[in-house]
């Protein structure tokens, strides 16, 4: 187990801010989870979503509300997850009111297309706690172990990923996935995105790109890292290849990929679909029994560091965080015993129960 601390998964701030403000991702998609973040002042915080086209979906923060179930109330912290249960094409504004009555809002955002299953259901995803960071002792390794223990056989592992640009081996990234599927450049029948895939990715997300199996060219280079970093994208994970390693390292932009290459993208592959689930298979040779593939959906949480990348299903983040925290605390107790010279078997049995 590493001693390195995991980046706070839900983007909690580390200091108090003088003025209240709130931000959303640049793009909001119908029925997809989005992280709302605000400056930490004095809690509790009340969040409201206002449909700019018709009536407020939630009561305006400038007035008192009789129906508390129409509000999100966050006791502390500085972020919350919202399942965007507003139809595509509508304009919304997000408001926050703090414990002292200060109010801040966002510019209107147009809801993009997505799935339809959440419309009319709860707006707030309670499985993604807004104010609960991973424990300081917790690492990505415990997250993977917690996923296995909770019944996910692959432990969230996106197999065969290499960290190509971490000049600081202690660096790690965490954030929701924005997915991109590439196809062969000769494919004229698959869909084409309406905008460049980097331009389409919201800030504070991690891009997950899948190239066609066996492709030897890169689908990410130094210019893409430059654009992504300027946009506030946290990193990229590639089921395929990258190039321009020196540029990524100079930028200190996190790039994780299965291989690197001298060949560029456009001659060999092109982007096709955005924000769709991707199924990623282990590279050959296959083990016996075969290691399972993993399907990553937009909004699932990615955690990446020098050991590799793990994906947590968006609807299970809270459960996995709780279990991983307990496992991390147990591992610290094992470490303390080992540093005192106690035996491995004895320490494991005492704190891990095995």
């Amino acid at each position: 187990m590493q001693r390195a601390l995991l980046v706070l998964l839900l983007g909690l701030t580390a200091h108090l801010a003088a003025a209240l403000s709130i931000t959303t991702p640049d793009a909001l998609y119908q029925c997809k989870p989005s992280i709302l973040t605000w400056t930490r002042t004095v809690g509790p915080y009340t969040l409201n979503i206002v449909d700019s086209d018709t009536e407020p979906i939630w009561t305006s923060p400038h007035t008192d509300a009789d129906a508390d179930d129409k509000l999100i109330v966050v006791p502390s912290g500085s972020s919350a997850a919202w399942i965007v249960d507003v139809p595509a094409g509508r304009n919304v504004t997000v408001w926050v009111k703090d414990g002292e009555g200060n109010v801040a809002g966002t510019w209107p955002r147009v809801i993009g297309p997505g799935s339809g299953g959440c419309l009319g259901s709860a707006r707030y995803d309670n499985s993604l706690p807004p104010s609960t960071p991973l424990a300081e002792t917790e690492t990505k390794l415990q997250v993977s172990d917690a996923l296995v223990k909770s019944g996910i056989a692959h432990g969230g592992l996106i197999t065969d990923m290499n960290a190509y640009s971490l000049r600081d081996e202690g660096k790690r990234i965490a954030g929701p996935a924005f997915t991109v599927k590439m196809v062969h450049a000769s494919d004229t029948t698959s869909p084409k995105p309406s905008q460049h895939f980097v331009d389409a990715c919201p800030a504070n997300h991690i891009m997950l790109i899948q190239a066609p199996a066996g492709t030897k060219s890169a689908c990410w280079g130094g210019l893409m890292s430059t654009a992504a970093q300027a946009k506030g994208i946290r990193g990229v994970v590639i089921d395929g290849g990258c190039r321009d390693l020196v540029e990524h390292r100079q930028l200190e932009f996190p790039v994780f990929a299965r291989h690197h290459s001298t060949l560029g993208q456009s001659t060999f592959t092109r982007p096709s679909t955005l924000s769709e689930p991707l199924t990623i298979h282990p590279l050959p040779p296959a083990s016996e029994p075969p290691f399972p593939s993993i399907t990553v959906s937009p909004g699932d949480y990615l955690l990446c560091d020098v050991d590799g990348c793990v994906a947590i299903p968006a609807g299970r983040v809270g459960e996995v965080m709780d279990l991983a925290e307990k496992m991390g605390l147990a591992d610290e107790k094992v470490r303390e015993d080992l540093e005192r010279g106690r035996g491995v078997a004895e320490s494991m049995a005492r704190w891990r129960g095995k």
Side-chain angles (χ1 to χ4, degrees):
M1 187 192 74
Q2 306 174 40
R3 284 186 178 274
L5 305 183
L6 179 64
V7 171
L8 297 184
L9 181 60
L10 301 183
L12 302 180
T13 56
H15 61 278
L16 296 179
L20 183 65
S21 63
I22 185 168
T23 60
T24 69
D26 291 340
L28 298 174
Y29 298 97
Q30 177 181 306
C31 293
K32 302 295 185 183
S34 290
I35 303 300
L36 313 177
T37 59
W38 56 90
T39 51
R40 182 180 296 185
T41 54
V42 177
Y45 303 93
T46 303
L47 303 177
N48 305 68
I49 307 297
V50 175
D51 186 334
S52 305
D53 293 329
T54 57
E55 298 294 327
I57 294 176
W58 293 344
T59 304
S60 168
H62 298 86
T63 63
D64 294 329
D66 294 327
D68 289 341
D69 60 348
K70 291 188 177 182
L71 304 175
I72 288 177
V73 178
V74 182
S76 62
S78 59
S79 64
W82 174 43
I83 303 299
V84 182
D85 62 332
V86 177
R90 303 294 282 273
N91 287 279
V92 298
T93 303
V94 183
W95 294 90
V96 61
K97 180 170 68 173
D98 67 13
E100 294 183 331
N102 300 306
V103 174
T106 66
W107 289 103
R109 296 281 192 269
V110 179
I111 305 301
S115 62
C118 77
L119 297 181
S121 63
R123 298 179 174 88
Y124 180 56
D125 180 9
N126 290 303
S127 68
L128 197 61
S131 58
T132 306
L134 293 176
E136 289 188 349
T137 56
E138 188 175 330
T139 72
K140 176 176 53 58
L141 305 183
Q142 274 106 33
V143 171
S144 228
D145 291 346
L147 285 165
V148 171
K149 193 168 185 177
S150 64
I152 298 178
H154 50 59
L157 177 64
I158 303 175
T159 59
D160 309 300
M161 288 295 165
N162 302 290
Y164 282 119
S165 60
L166 298 185
R167 297 176 68 179
D168 174 7
E169 291 192 348
K171 183 178 178 63
R172 60 204 57 81
I173 56 174
F178 178 84
T179 59
V180 179
K181 183 176 180 64
M182 296 274 184
V183 296
H184 291 292
S186 58
D187 183 344
T188 59
T189 60
S190 294
K192 295 182 179 180
S194 60
Q195 61 184 139
H196 194 281
F197 61 93
V198 176
D199 295 336
C201 182
N204 299 316
H205 282 57
I206 297 174
M207 299 193 71
L208 177 62
I209 302 174
Q210 184 174 57
T215 302
K216 299 303 180 185
S217 57
C219 56
W220 189 269
L223 294 178
M224 297 303 97
S225 282
T226 300
Q229 187 176 69
K231 199 171 189 292
I233 296 169
R234 294 182 177 178
V236 62
V237 178
I238 308 166
D239 177 12
C242 65
R243 70 173 184 174
D244 300 330
L245 300 189
V246 172
E247 292 182 46
H248 305 313
R249 290 166 184 167
Q250 289 174 338
L251 290 167
E252 299 186 15
F253 184 79
V255 176
F256 299 81
R258 286 185 153 176
H259 64 86
H260 58 93
S261 175
T262 61
L263 301 172
Q265 175 243 310
S266 59
T267 304
F268 302 94
T269 61
R270 67 168 179 85
S272 178
T273 56
L274 310 180
S275 292
E276 297 291 339
L278 299 178
T279 297
I280 300 175
H281 306 284
L283 293 177
S287 61
E288 187 56 45
F291 191 82
S293 302
I294 182 172
T295 298
V296 181
S297 297
D300 287 353
Y301 266 80
L302 302 182
L303 313 176
C304 301
D305 65 14
V306 69
D307 283 315
C309 294
V310 169
I312 308 175
R316 301 189 68 177
V317 172
E319 166 198 347
V320 171
M321 286 170 63
D322 289 344
L323 181 55
E325 181 176 354
K326 293 175 183 176
M327 297 175 74
L329 294 173
D331 276 0
E332 285 303 307
K333 295 295 185 182
V334 172
R335 181 188 303 281
E336 291 171 5
D337 277 4
L338 296 178
E339 289 173 343
R340 296 186 184 103
R342 288 179 174 163
V344 173
E346 174 192 357
S347 302
M348 291 286 194
R350 182 182 182 191
W351 298 110
R352 283 188 170 186
K354 61 181 179 179

